[in-house]
Amino acid sequence: YSCFLTAAEFSVSVAGYIDHKFITPVVFYLSRFIFLSIGDIILSTYHTSFGGALSMKKAIIFVCLVTIILTSFPVMVSNAAFKGVLEKVKTHADIILMVNLEDGNSIIEKNADKKSMPASFVKITTAILVLENCPDLEEPVTVSTNAVRVLANTYSSVANLKPGEILSVQDLLYCLLVSSANDAATVLAEHVAGDIESFVGLMNEKVRALGCESTNFINPHGLDNPEQYTTARDMVTIVRHALTFPLFEEITSTFRYTVPATNKSRERKLI
């Protein structure tokens, strides 16, 4: 999903375009290095299939790093200087939105209100509903046959959960957000709402309540569907709300996690 500056060359150009008048040489070269490194990660990650295997933690980390860079300049960089970038730099990404996460102000944007399929960014809303409805994160959850069967032949990202397996809500959240497991999404959806369809209804109610009028969900995991869409601007609203939950921020900052052995599986190493 291209709402987070998907082209590495654009990231380099952004840092290279910033005039030395605005920042010191040290910060200039530091920001250029970080933009290049993170840009390469985003480019390699988001040019893969949208089959649910995308890792949103990298996108969120990217947004946070950009925010840190912008808010750490010795001298405030004007928004006008950044907005001029799109007029000077050729970008491959169709949708671009860079915002200040503290106040929500747009710094750079391109087609920020264009609808597009969100892929695994859907899981952010899934996680929000779980965190709001499951106060006991150690509560045991039993994997149903249906939660596994609905993903048959999708060849998508899964944690290989087994019918009858019992895991805690928290471990399922780690499966959901660290390894982008689609089966964790369906299991959590059934746990919260009783069935997947009802959970999707709650997802749409939630984003409407947040003010997202250009978003519609069809499933809790993000497998492509023409009727499932969002915009970069709506996604920023959703992410900002998700980051109000300390556990969400903690999990999406985790690169490796071990799910303890269960009644049906040995321990799982998530990356």
Side-chain angles (χ1 to χ4, degrees):
Y1 189 53
S2 57
C3 69
F4 293 109
L5 300 181
T6 60
E9 67 272 21
F10 176 73
S11 301
V12 177
S13 300
V14 170
Y17 174 75
I18 300 173
D19 198 297
H20 287 338
K21 295 178 182 178
F22 293 105
I23 55 178
T24 63
V26 172
V27 175
F28 171 78
Y29 288 111
L30 176 62
S31 64
R32 193 175 192 274
F33 170 76
I34 295 177
F35 269 111
L36 173 61
S37 301
I38 303 303
D40 284 337
I41 292 173
I42 299 300
L43 182 65
S44 62
T45 302
Y46 288 86
H47 280 187
T48 61
S49 167
F50 287 137
L54 303 184
S55 176
M56 62 271 193
K57 66 176 180 288
K58 292 180 181 178
I60 295 169
I61 290 169
F62 173 61
V63 174
C64 293
L65 281 173
V66 168
T67 303
I68 291 170
I69 293 169
L70 295 179
T71 57
S72 298
F73 287 158
V75 180
M76 184 65 68
V77 182
S78 69
N79 285 356
F82 282 101
K83 289 180 179 177
V85 170
L86 290 182
E87 300 175 0
K88 297 176 180 291
V89 178
K90 181 180 179 180
T91 61
H92 294 287
D94 183 45
I95 300 171
I96 298 171
L97 181 58
M98 181 188 292
V99 300
N100 182 325
L101 288 181
E102 292 185 356
D103 57 23
N105 287 335
S106 170
I107 297 169
I108 298 175
E109 64 177 74
K110 172 186 175 183
N111 296 330
D113 297 306
K114 181 177 180 179
K115 293 178 181 178
S116 180
M117 286 185 282
S120 277
F121 283 119
V122 168
K123 294 183 175 77
I124 298 175
T125 303
T126 299
I128 288 173
L129 283 175
V130 172
L131 291 169
E132 288 182 341
N133 290 279
C134 299
D136 181 6
L137 296 174
E138 295 303 321
E139 180 181 4
V141 179
T142 302
V143 178
S144 74
T145 300
N146 180 69
V148 175
R149 185 174 53 210
V150 294
L151 296 169
N153 300 318
T154 61
Y155 306 103
S156 59
S157 176
V158 294
N160 293 315
L161 302 178
K162 300 173 175 60
E165 187 171 5
I166 301 173
L167 301 90
S168 70
V169 170
Q170 179 165 295
D171 284 338
L172 286 168
L173 280 171
Y174 271 94
C175 290
L176 178 78
L177 297 174
V178 174
S179 63
S180 193
N182 292 344
D183 47 358
T186 55
V187 171
L188 287 168
E190 290 184 345
H191 178 67
V192 170
D195 60 77
I196 296 172
E197 183 178 356
S198 297
F199 185 82
V200 171
L202 294 178
M203 293 173 69
N204 287 317
E205 288 178 13
K206 184 63 186 181
V207 294
R208 296 291 180 275
L210 291 174
C212 302
E213 298 182 355
S214 299
T215 295
N216 186 64
F217 295 125
I218 297 296
N219 60 58
H221 40 66
L223 288 180
D224 285 352
N225 186 302
E227 297 303 314
Q228 182 156 261
Y229 52 80
T230 189
T231 66
R233 201 178 308 280
D234 278 1
M235 278 308 310
V236 167
T237 299
I238 294 168
V239 168
R240 290 184 70 197
H241 181 66
L243 289 172
T244 64
F245 298 93
L247 182 59
F248 178 86
E249 186 171 2
E250 178 183 330
I251 295 176
T252 54
S253 300
T254 300
F255 288 91
R256 293 178 176 84
Y257 182 79
T258 299
V259 177
T262 69
N263 61 318
K264 294 274 190 176
S265 173
R266 297 178 179 178
E267 67 179 25
R268 293 176 171 88
K269 302 287 188 181
L270 307 179
I271 58 174

